[in-house]
Amino acid sequence: MASQPLKGLFVVSMEQAVAAPYCASRLADAGARVIKIERQEGDFARAYDAVANGQSSYFIWLNRGKESLCLDIKQPDDKALLEKLIAKADVFIQNLAPGAMARAGFGSAQLRARHPRLITVDISGYGEEGDYATMKAYDLLVQAESGLAYVTGRAEGPGRVGVSACDIACGMHAYAAVLEALIDRGITGKGKGIAVSLFDGMADWMTVPLLQYEGTGKNPPRIGMAHPSICPYGAFTTKDGADVLIAIQNEREWAGFCAHFLDEPDLPQREGFRVNNERVANRPMVDGHIGKVFAALTREECAAKLRRANTAFGFINDCGGLRDHPALRRVAVETEKGSIKVGAPPAKLSDGARTLGPVPRLGEHSAAIRAEFGG
């Protein structure tokens, strides 16, 4: 059984939706005790859908291993209980509207002044300063504002990335920052404040398109399943209707692809096909030439030839293809309505797999926590 390096760590998280729960759930996976503070009606992500045995797929994914405590901090007793929890906490996470916790007397700087070892994490949409600080920020809005949607999709128009990319990026950055802060606290004995926004997380991911724009004065082209800077790198349809994505990274791979898949070893010497920049400039011609070969072969024939050519390739799967994929690893998480299989934690550990905690019912631990902390 894998070790739990964060066992003994106490985390209090006033969280909802995706970004903050993502961060807290990964802390829980590593052994931290995480108390999730919810309103009486619960984290609204509990009602995003009802596809996982009648429960929200988002909530199941992001809230395993936590304890659920319902509080209304406008009530003096509940506010006092939150103060007691934070006084014992190692990490306090919140993703309420900017300034809301400070107005309630729980601003991050105030808390760290009272509890110098505390690590505070403030998650927001656009940061806590500037014109956008008070803007409501949900994942798709930030995909649009950050330019991600603009560089995604086909030439006809922008597209949404099909998962909550901005929320997930923010949660991942917050988790990494908490781990760094814990290491630093082990050296200095002091906590620190961490602030992460959905926009900043995605702006980091958008560095290459931004630099391309600044270097050329042009937005990177939106070309669907192709690559804006590499050719050939895109999807081709086989004789039996399968879509195969190939990726050529260098001239050596291009030569091998031409010789062993296209059966045209001299193609890299022809004008328009010689080097990557030339191929990108002549993409319709290059892709059209390659597409004819794919169209004459079945999916299995293409796969066999691509393997012989040592060309990187993959099939464009739907979610059913993901479910049946030989590389997919899944683990069971217990919920109030039975066991649900989710994607396994990406990092495989040499000392074994971790046991993931159950997903809590709304307020499941309220009575026990109140009794423990005298609230």
Side-chain angles (χ1 to χ4, degrees):
M1 189 66 64
S3 63
Q4 293 186 307
L6 299 186
K7 191 172 182 63
L9 192 78
F10 182 30
V11 179
V12 176
S13 190
M14 292 199 68
E15 57 177 36
Q16 56 194 2
V18 175
Y22 184 102
C23 174
S25 70
R26 275 41 186 178
L27 295 170
D29 285 352
R33 180 187 184 185
V34 178
I35 293 182
K36 178 184 180 77
I37 310 294
E38 301 189 66
R39 297 182 176 93
Q40 296 301 322
E41 63 272 23
D43 179 345
F44 51 72
R46 286 182 180 272
Y48 274 173
D49 61 37
V51 300
N53 288 357
Q55 303 162 98
S56 166
S57 57
Y58 286 85
F59 196 85
I60 297 301
W61 172 42
L62 296 171
N63 291 282
R64 60 200 186 214
K66 301 178 184 178
E67 300 172 39
S68 173
L69 167 63
C70 291
L71 288 183
D72 177 1
I73 61 171
K74 293 180 181 178
Q75 302 301 318
D77 288 349
D78 282 4
K79 183 175 181 179
L81 177 56
L82 179 58
E83 289 174 342
K84 292 177 181 178
L85 291 169
I86 293 173
K88 296 288 183 69
D90 295 286
V91 181
F92 176 62
I93 303 169
Q94 68 87 21
N95 69 337
L96 275 62
M101 290 304 291
R103 290 191 294 273
F106 296 99
S108 295
Q110 300 167 284
L111 293 176
R112 293 196 309 278
R114 296 201 293 268
H115 312 292
R117 289 180 54 82
L118 181 66
I119 295 165
T120 60
V121 184
D122 295 307
I123 290 177
S124 65
Y126 297 99
E128 300 181 350
E129 299 176 349
D131 293 342
Y132 269 66
T134 58
M135 292 275 285
K136 287 188 175 181
Y138 301 121
D139 186 83
L140 182 53
L141 302 177
V142 181
Q143 287 196 30
E145 287 278 354
S146 66
L148 177 65
Y150 189 90
V151 301
T152 302
R154 299 181 179 273
E156 304 87 74
R160 173 187 178 267
V161 174
V163 296
S164 301
C166 301
D167 277 308
I168 296 167
C170 181
M172 291 172 68
H173 284 295
Y175 175 57
V178 169
L179 298 182
E180 291 178 4
L182 289 168
I183 294 170
D184 191 47
R185 191 181 71 173
I187 298 168
T188 67
K190 295 181 179 179
K192 67 172 59 179
I194 297 167
V196 189
S197 75
L198 274 67
F199 186 86
D200 283 347
M202 191 45 55
D204 176 57
W205 286 17
M206 285 289 293
T207 294
V208 169
L210 177 61
L211 294 180
Q212 290 175 336
Y213 173 77
E214 290 179 334
T216 66
K218 298 179 181 179
N219 284 295
R222 191 170 49 243
I223 51 178
M225 288 301 296
H227 193 291
S229 307
I230 304 172
C231 179
Y233 194 136
F236 299 91
T237 303
T238 67
K239 181 180 180 179
D240 49 355
D243 289 323
V244 186
L245 185 70
I246 64 168
I248 302 293
Q249 291 287 314
N250 53 57
E251 299 310 320
R252 175 178 49 78
E253 291 184 353
W254 170 238
F257 176 75
C258 291
H260 303 293
F261 183 82
L262 300 179
D263 298 319
E264 295 182 87
D266 296 333
L267 187 61
Q269 280 74 56
R270 283 174 49 184
E271 184 177 355
F273 295 86
R274 291 173 293 203
V275 296
N276 181 63
N277 287 345
E278 191 173 303
R279 293 193 296 272
V280 170
N282 293 278
R283 188 189 300 273
M285 177 182 71
V286 175
D287 285 354
H289 187 86
I290 293 170
K292 292 176 183 177
V293 179
F294 275 93
L297 301 170
T298 66
R299 170 184 170 131
E300 294 307 316
E301 290 169 339
C302 284
K305 288 197 78 175
L306 288 166
R307 285 183 183 274
R308 286 198 296 271
N310 199 28
T311 297
F313 74 97
F315 295 104
I316 301 177
N317 288 321
D318 60 11
C319 291
L322 170 62
R323 178 198 59 200
D324 299 331
H325 202 286
L328 178 65
R329 297 183 298 112
R330 303 182 80 174
V331 293
V333 171
E334 296 304 317
T335 79
E336 61 181 303
K337 295 185 178 180
S339 179
I340 305 235
K341 286 188 175 180
V342 300
K348 294 179 70 174
L349 307 173
S350 63
D351 56 353
R354 287 182 177 141
T355 300
L356 305 181
V359 178
R361 300 189 307 274
L362 176 61
E364 178 178 349
H365 305 90
S366 292
I369 294 169
R370 290 180 185 279
E372 179 182 355
F373 288 89

